Amino acid sequence: MKKILFALLWFVSGSTFSQSMHLDTTFNGIGTGVYSYEDYEQAHDAATYPDGKIIISGYTTGTPQGLLLLRLKSNGTIDSTFGDDGFVVGASNSSPQGSGDKVIIQPDGGIIANGRYIDGDGDRNLTLFKYNYDGSPDAIFGLEGKL
């Protein structure tokens, strides 16, 4: 059973609050959300599409380990049209300790996420991921969407 929490960062930014700083209950029915994947997840960044959808970047220790993206609809429900039922997992150059630290949305809806991975020597390295709007890797970016 999936039981780990995928925390949301944008709550502290005020984007889910009404102008009077009350939680916006049109978001997930209560103004907050907790989303599960597997094993252990942690969110690091979030960005909003012009249509109100939200992309969250972080990491998972599931299988495979590495970058984790989650996309939500503007009402706070998981967007199942993105990746695999709303989630995308990208291993960081086969490193079991990869992560997704920042995420940006391009004008065409593509996603660029940066992160780091630890190689076999224990050195920390930068990695970049590029995904299409639907969550598939951008095949013309690097090696299967990774640099």
Side-chain angles (χ1 to χ4, degrees), residues 27 34 48 89 92 120 132-133 140:
F27 184 85
V34 176
T48 306
V89 178
S92 300
N132 298 311
Y133 182 80
I140 61 172

Side-chain angles (χ1 to χ4, degrees), residues 17-23:
F17 291 90
S18 66
Q19 292 209 346
S20 62
M21 293 304 290
H22 292 96
L23 286 174

